[in-house]
Amino acid sequence: MSAGERAKAKAEQVVGKTVRKAAHAVHKETLAAKGAALEARGRARGAKEQTKGFFKH
């Protein structure tokens, strides 16, 4: 797993979670859904990179 992709994955997860929680706090459900999607994309990117690293060894 490359350091750059790992950083992107973690950043997407953190930003997505922050956006989701902030949007829920101000009752903006559309923005909360976008934050959840960003968080999910970060998790998927991280899983993909872990899988790539697993098969390289």
Side-chain angles (χ1 to χ4, degrees), residues 1-22:
M1 184 169 173
S2 71
E5 288 297 315
R6 184 173 38 231
K8 278 185 188 177
K10 189 64 176 173
E12 282 182 340
Q13 287 178 29
V14 170
V15 170
K17 187 174 186 178
T18 303
V19 168
R20 181 174 51 85
K21 288 184 177 246

Side-chain angles (χ1 to χ4, degrees), residues 23-37:
H24 277 302
V26 294
H27 306 293
K28 301 287 184 183
E29 296 305 317
T30 304
L31 188 58
K34 288 180 182 180

Side-chain angles (χ1 to χ4, degrees), residues 35-46:
L38 183 62
E39 184 179 2
R41 187 169 57 221
R43 288 184 192 276
R45 182 189 303 267

